[in-house]
Amino acid sequence: MGSKEEMHVAETALKTKGVEAVDKALHILSLFTADTPKLSLGEISQRSGYVKSTAMRLLISLQQAGLVVMQPDKSYMVGPQTFRLGHLYQRSLRLEPVVRPVLRALVLRTGESGSFFKREGNMRVCLFREDSSQVLREHVPEGEAVGLDKGAPGHVLSEFSDVDGTRPASDAQLARLPIVSLGQRGPDIAGIAAPVFGAAQGLVGAVTLSGPRTRFTPEVIEDMRPLVLEAARELTRALAGSFYDDLSVRVPRLDHVG
C-alpha cells in the first residue's frame, strides 16, 4: 500500500478529474456551429475522432437529455434544451462582473486606463471605466457619451455594428483589429480598441485602452495590441460569442486611424 501522502495525492487527482463520457459528449456538442448546424453520424465520427458506435451511444444520451435531435434525413442538430440553457445564461449574466476584472487586468499590465463602451444611437457611452494610477491620464467618467465619429472605440462600434459574432472572424475582419486612434478625440489623446460580441446580442461593446498620446509610441502600441485583443476575446467567450475563436492561429496586423 502507498503512503498516506500518496493516497491523498491520488484522491485529489481523482476529485479534479472530469468524467470521460461527459467530456466526450460535450465535445460532440461543440462540433455544432453556425457554419455546421447539422451533422451526420459519419461527420460527427470523423470530426470527433470517435468510432461510429461510440458516437452513436453518446448521441443517444444527448438526445434523451434534449441536447440534440435527429432530423428526418438522419442528420443531427442541437436540441431545445440548448436554447433553454443559453437563454437562462443570457438572463443571468450581468456585464459588470465580467467586464471590470478584464479592465483592471489591462490597467495593471499597461499602466493606461481601460474603458468599455456601448453604442447608443450615434453615440458611444462609457459603461465601465478603470483609471490608470498615473497622474497624467485621460479622464472619461462612466456614463459619458461621445460621438461615434472620433476615437478608436467609436470606429469599432461603427465598423462592426453589422457583425453578429456567432462565427469566427474572417482574415479581413481580424486585419482591422485592434483599431488605434491617435489624436482624433483630442490632439493629446490616443486609444486602442477591439469589439466584444455576445452569441445572442451581436456587438455588445468595445474594450479600450486610452491615455496621453505621448505615451502611445509605436513600440508601446505593439505591446498593447495582443493584450487588447486577448481582453476582447476573453469577454466575447464569456458572452458565448465565437468571433475570436481562430485568433490564436491568425496574427492580424495593426491598423491605425487618425
Side-chain angles (χ1 to χ4, degrees):
M1 293 181 64
S3 66
K4 289 184 177 180
E5 183 178 351
E6 290 173 335
M7 292 176 65
H8 176 71
V9 170
E11 184 180 353
T12 301
L14 184 61
K15 288 180 178 178
T16 57
K17 186 178 180 180
V19 178
E20 185 178 1
V22 174
D23 291 339
K24 287 182 176 180
L26 293 175
H27 178 53
I28 285 180
L29 277 179
S30 72
L31 301 178
F32 296 95
T33 67
D35 292 322
T36 57
K38 294 174 62 176
L39 294 169
S40 68
L41 175 60
E43 290 171 327
I44 291 171
S45 175
Q46 181 181 20
R47 297 181 185 213
S48 66
Y50 309 147
V51 296
K52 286 187 178 180
S53 58
T54 297
M56 175 61 76
R57 290 196 301 271
L58 294 168
L59 285 166
I60 290 172
S61 294
L62 290 170
Q63 279 183 274
Q64 292 173 346
L67 295 171
V68 299
V69 293
M70 182 189 288
Q71 300 300 293
D73 62 359
K74 304 300 184 183
S75 65
Y76 294 86
M77 61 185 296
V78 294
Q81 282 298 315
T82 60
F83 177 80
R84 185 186 69 82
L85 292 171
H87 185 62
L88 178 62
Y89 175 75
Q90 182 184 3
R91 288 185 61 186
S92 63
L93 184 64
R94 297 293 181 268
L95 274 179
E96 186 167 6
V98 176
V99 173
R100 283 209 187 275
V102 174
L103 292 182
R104 288 169 184 157
L106 275 177
V107 174
L108 288 174
R109 290 288 299 275
T110 65
E112 301 299 346
S113 298
S115 305
F116 186 87
F117 289 90
K118 183 179 186 300
R119 180 171 182 169
E120 294 289 350
N122 293 322
M123 307 292 286
R124 56 180 171 96
V125 178
C126 180
L127 292 186
F128 310 112
R129 172 78 172 185
E130 293 293 328
D131 283 318
S132 164
S133 61
Q134 301 195 62
V135 175
L136 182 60
R137 63 178 185 245
E138 180 209 14
H139 295 277
V140 179
E142 291 184 1
E144 180 175 85
V146 184
L148 289 175
D149 58 331
K150 296 179 180 179
H155 288 285
V156 165
L157 295 174
S158 295
E159 295 177 25
F160 290 84
S161 61
D162 295 330
V163 178
D164 62 19
T166 59
R167 63 188 65 199
S170 66
D171 289 329
Q173 288 171 329
L174 284 179
R176 289 285 295 143
L177 297 172
I179 291 179
V180 175
S181 170
L182 302 174
Q184 272 201 341
R185 201 165 69 82
D188 302 320
I189 299 174
I192 176 170
V196 173
F197 298 92
Q201 303 150 291
L203 180 63
V204 176
V207 60
T208 308
L209 277 175
S210 60
R213 184 173 178 175
T214 53
R215 291 205 294 263
F216 277 60
T217 64
E219 295 77 17
V220 170
I221 290 173
E222 188 63 23
D223 290 338
M224 289 179 177
R225 178 177 72 104
L227 298 178
V228 172
L229 286 174
E230 180 57 33
R233 174 165 62 176
E234 182 178 345
L235 291 173
T236 296
R237 283 179 173 174
L239 298 171
S242 302
F243 184 81
Y244 294 100
D245 281 4
D246 290 348
L247 180 61
S248 61
V249 295
R250 298 175 182 172
V251 183
R253 61 180 173 78
L254 187 61
D255 194 346
H256 292 262
V257 174

